Amino acid sequence: MESNSFHRLHPRLQRWIWRTGWSELRDVQELAIPAILDQQLDVLIAAATAGGKTEAAFLPLLSHLVEDAGGSVRVLYVSPLRALINDQFRRLDPLCEELGVPVHRWHGDVGAAHKRRLRERPEGILIITPESLEALFVLRGHEIGRLFARLDRVVVDELHVFLGSERGAQLQSLLHRVELLVRRRVSRIGLSATLGDLDLACQFLRPGGGDAVRRIESKAPGQELRLQVRGYRVAAPPRSPREGAVEAAVADAAEPTGEGLQAIAGHLFDHLRGGHHLIFANARARVEVLADILRRRCEAHQVPNEFWPHHGNLSKSLREEAEAAIRDPSRPASAVCTSTLELGIDVGAIKSVAQIGVPPSVASLRQRLGRSGRGGDPGILRVYVLERALDERTPPHDSLRSELVQSTATFLEGTGAHVHERVRREMLRIYMSADLPRYLDAAARELLGEARGNFYRHRLHERSLVGDGDRTIWFPWTGDRVLDTLVVWAAAAGIEVTREGVALVFEAMDSQLVRSAMGRLLEQPAPDPVVLAAGVSNLEREKFHRWLRRDLLATDFASGVLDVDGAAAALRGLATAEESLEVPE
């Protein structure tokens, strides 16, 4: 190898690499090996799925542990999912056994005997979830000092999953408590998918010290992408002209057994049989229904079943059966799943990825897409979008085919967990453009043409307020956080407004009354976000929120949900604009 780092590895690691047949080290591995071996640095390693970031951390870590792995747990490896822990253990155990470096896993499915052995003789590598680490502090706090006495490094896998979440705050607290326990700073290594904001990730990894984190980002060229968005029109259920968001959600929940999912299943069956694929269905109920439809189609065609459900609420045996099937190269198998297979679980060579409905976020979509197209093959993504048929009672915001347009916009911008303003602005550009993306199928193009026609029919190219009977609908074309803030701010001022998708709906108010009422919000100084959040009746959004005082919940809600500055900017735009929109750059 023409490598500047290969010779730095322990000879036993070098021999393993030669036997494995590697012809070269990846760019992140070349950079990470000296960074981890030479200095007690905090390191962030960012690369696409299958970009070699796990090996970038473990090759130097194992080189260090080969000669001395005892005295306590030496590497604490924190992972977000049990399935991911099982997968990493399966991949590491043979190599670690050869090197004489013990590796342990710890979660709810691991037997008491295995945990007892680690407690009696702590050494090597411990792979654990944040929740299990929390349980160790609570149930075995008196033992933790001995368990981690010689701890060298902490590795956080899939770090991007923890950003901006309750679990992320829990993880930061746990890592701080570990350092307090051992009475010294312990170097942290973060492994993450490619991120748009490395500063944010570094500050998360080492709060208050993110500037000193060594950043290693893969510069490998991106993979070829083959993309198709497929549109499906399904009959609208009977509903009243003023059906609200709750009734619409109930109607949508009944869809998984309807004609739309049957049509999607037909295409999946025809095009995915005979290979290895991942089908992301977003919701657990839809996973089970779709997997059952596909299984029944296999039975009807008298062929072996190739479709397996996978989500977090399934039993361990069913999850492992699906994982084993999708990894087995000797037979075709596809997994119908939620985000459980989105992360770095090794599922072998995946030919393509299917996404049912709008992906949860651009970050999630990028992670899912990265599961296919390894070894130089192109990544293949099919997105299936269900859209209801329209009639004369369809309200303006439902006539814009926002799910299809948001799916299209998602491929052109980046964002996090909330739908970002950039995605909504890209949606506006798509509505006002005549371009037809080549990756839309015929049905999707027809639906997009219909959406654009309705956009201009409601004159949304020149105004943002639209009358609909005795109510007014406002299209601010902004992100989720701003929309939610506008609802909370208006409610605090006694203005009744509901959010429905991309729009805000004001009942029994004409456009002038809406403009006047919302304009009054700007007559006073912008409210303190925490004070604004305190007026929200239900602040519990996460599983641990039930244990927090209301003032802490308000602080969390303000930081995680509200954007007062963005809402004020939207209000100023409504107050000053003469209802003329320009195509965004």
Side-chain angles (χ1 to χ4, degrees):
M1 294 183 181
E2 295 183 2
S3 169
N4 294 321
S5 300
F6 178 73
H7 71 282
R8 301 291 309 280
L9 299 175
H10 193 280
R12 294 168 69 179
L13 264 297
Q14 294 178 7
R15 288 195 291 271
W16 176 82
I17 290 174
W18 279 113
R19 289 202 314 272
T20 306
W22 292 17
S23 61
E24 62 181 1
L25 296 179
R26 304 284 184 90
D27 59 348
V28 291
Q29 295 160 359
E30 287 280 358
L31 295 171
I33 289 171
I36 294 174
L37 283 177
D38 288 344
Q39 305 176 48
Q40 291 290 312
L41 297 173
D42 294 322
V43 179
L44 175 66
I45 303 172
T49 302
K53 53 185 176 289
T54 301
E55 291 79 6
F58 270 108
L59 289 177
L61 289 176
L62 288 172
S63 288
H64 176 66
L65 293 179
V66 166
E67 302 296 342
D68 181 13
S72 82
V73 171
R74 303 297 299 281
V75 173
L76 178 63
Y77 186 99
V78 184
S79 181
L81 293 175
R82 294 183 185 186
L84 187 54
I85 287 176
N86 293 338
D87 183 71
Q88 293 289 34
F89 179 82
R90 179 184 60 81
R91 295 168 60 189
L92 283 174
D93 191 46
L95 171 60
C96 288
E97 184 176 8
E98 179 180 330
L99 298 174
V101 178
V103 58
H104 311 271
R105 53 180 171 166
W106 189 300
H107 56 65
D109 293 338
V110 176
H114 294 281
K115 295 177 178 177
R116 185 172 58 252
R117 283 197 292 272
L118 174 65
R119 289 167 40 221
E120 292 172 351
R121 187 179 179 182
E123 56 184 345
I125 301 168
L126 173 60
I127 312 177
I128 194 169
T129 62
E131 290 74 18
S132 292
L133 183 57
E134 182 80 60
L136 269 178
F137 272 99
V138 173
L139 301 176
R140 306 211 172 261
H142 60 289
E143 300 181 21
I144 290 193
R146 184 175 60 87
L147 286 174
F148 297 140
R150 296 191 64 206
L151 184 67
D152 283 329
R153 304 292 172 91
V154 173
V155 180
V156 180
D157 197 8
E158 307 290 356
L159 181 138
H160 55 281
V161 173
F162 295 105
L163 297 178
S165 70
E166 181 187 48
R167 290 186 82 202
Q170 177 195 21
L171 175 60
Q172 288 177 313
S173 172
L174 288 167
L175 299 186
H176 181 62
R177 288 151 67 187
V178 167
E179 293 188 339
L180 288 175
L181 187 73
V182 300
R183 302 182 186 278
R184 55 187 166 80
R185 179 182 175 279
V186 179
S187 295
R188 302 173 183 178
I189 301 172
L191 308 180
S192 176
T194 303
L195 293 166
D197 189 344
L198 290 182
D199 290 340
L200 180 66
C202 290
Q203 290 295 337
F204 175 88
L205 184 64
R206 180 63 70 178
D211 292 342
V213 174
R214 172 70 184 278
R215 306 168 190 207
I216 298 175
E217 186 175 14
S218 175
K219 302 301 182 184
Q223 67 182 148
E224 177 188 350
L225 170 61
R226 297 179 182 176
L227 167 67
Q228 184 179 53
V229 177
R230 301 186 59 81
Y232 292 82
R233 189 192 304 269
V234 295
R239 59 177 65 177
S240 68
R242 289 294 179 266
E243 182 181 74
V246 174
E247 292 83 357
V250 171
D252 289 340
E255 168 56 31
T257 58
E259 58 178 306
L261 206 62
Q262 290 285 352
I264 290 173
H267 189 269
L268 293 172
F269 183 83
D270 292 339
H271 290 80
L272 270 57
R273 278 191 62 244
H276 287 73
H277 311 269
L278 294 179
I279 305 166
F280 290 97
N282 286 355
R284 293 167 180 169
R286 183 172 282 185
V287 163
E288 296 181 10
V289 171
L290 183 56
D292 184 64
I293 294 173
L294 291 166
R295 178 186 60 81
R296 291 175 182 270
R297 286 181 181 258
C298 290
E299 292 176 352
H301 286 75
Q302 298 182 344
V303 296
N305 178 45
E306 299 181 14
F307 300 94
W308 307 81
H310 191 287
H311 63 69
N313 277 17
L314 291 176
S315 67
K316 174 186 175 184
S317 61
L318 289 176
R319 295 196 310 271
E320 291 181 346
E321 184 179 21
E323 292 164 19
I326 195 70
R327 276 196 298 263
D328 186 352
S330 67
R331 56 170 178 162
S334 295
V336 186
C337 54
T338 57
S339 59
T340 50
L341 293 183
E342 175 182 309
L343 302 179
I345 299 173
D346 182 11
V347 289
I350 297 299
K351 184 176 181 180
S352 76
V353 169
Q355 169 68 47
I356 314 300
V358 177
S361 69
V362 173
S364 177
L365 178 65
R366 292 174 65 180
Q367 186 76 10
R368 294 176 179 187
L369 176 58
R371 307 300 276 163
S372 74
R374 304 189 182 186
D377 293 330
I380 300 174
L381 175 66
R382 297 179 177 92
V383 180
Y384 298 81
V385 180
L386 291 169
E387 288 285 357
R388 302 260 185 210
L390 307 180
D391 57 32
E392 68 280 357
R393 299 174 301 170
T394 303
H397 52 288
D398 285 346
S399 71
L400 297 183
R401 304 294 188 199
S402 58
E403 183 153 333
L404 172 71
V405 177
Q406 183 175 322
S407 295
T408 305
T410 296
F411 300 116
L412 304 174
E413 299 292 347
T415 187
H418 295 92
V419 177
H420 195 275
E421 178 184 5
R422 289 170 59 187
V423 172
R424 293 274 158 72
R425 297 295 291 179
E426 180 62 28
M427 291 175 65
L428 179 59
R429 190 198 68 78
I430 291 171
Y431 283 121
M432 299 175 71
S433 170
D435 295 339
L436 285 174
R438 290 186 298 171
Y439 49 78
L440 300 182
D441 76 339
R445 290 187 175 202
E446 181 181 339
L447 289 168
L448 177 58
E450 187 177 84
R452 285 171 169 166
N454 289 325
F455 178 89
Y456 282 98
R457 180 169 64 86
H458 292 296
R459 294 171 48 214
L460 288 172
H461 60 295
E462 58 185 17
R463 62 180 181 174
S464 61
L465 293 176
V466 177
D468 183 41
D470 63 349
R471 63 180 181 171
T472 297
I473 303 171
W474 181 21
F475 294 86
W477 299 114
T478 189
D480 284 353
R481 293 187 62 161
V482 171
L483 291 174
D484 291 338
T485 305
L486 289 168
V487 170
V488 173
W489 193 350
I495 305 169
E496 293 188 10
V497 57
T498 59
R499 178 184 161 195
E500 297 188 15
V502 301
L504 300 180
V505 179
F506 299 80
E507 299 287 348
M509 295 178 70
D510 62 24
S511 61
Q512 286 300 103
L513 188 56
V514 168
R515 193 185 298 276
S516 174
M518 298 301 282
R520 285 197 298 271
L521 299 181
L522 291 173
E523 294 175 358
Q524 300 295 326
D528 183 296
V530 177
V531 174
L532 200 59
V536 177
S537 58
N538 183 13
L539 294 172
E540 295 184 10
R541 300 176 295 115
E542 304 282 359
K543 65 179 180 179
F544 294 124
H545 279 178
R546 59 184 295 192
W547 308 109
L548 296 181
R549 300 193 313 265
R550 185 165 177 83
D551 61 322
L552 295 176
L553 288 173
T555 301
D556 176 79
F557 190 91
S559 64
V561 176
L562 301 183
D563 179 1
V564 171
D565 290 341
L571 290 171
R572 287 192 294 270
L574 179 66
T576 60
E578 286 298 326
E579 295 298 359
S580 178
L581 293 176
E582 296 180 357
V583 178
E585 295 294 333

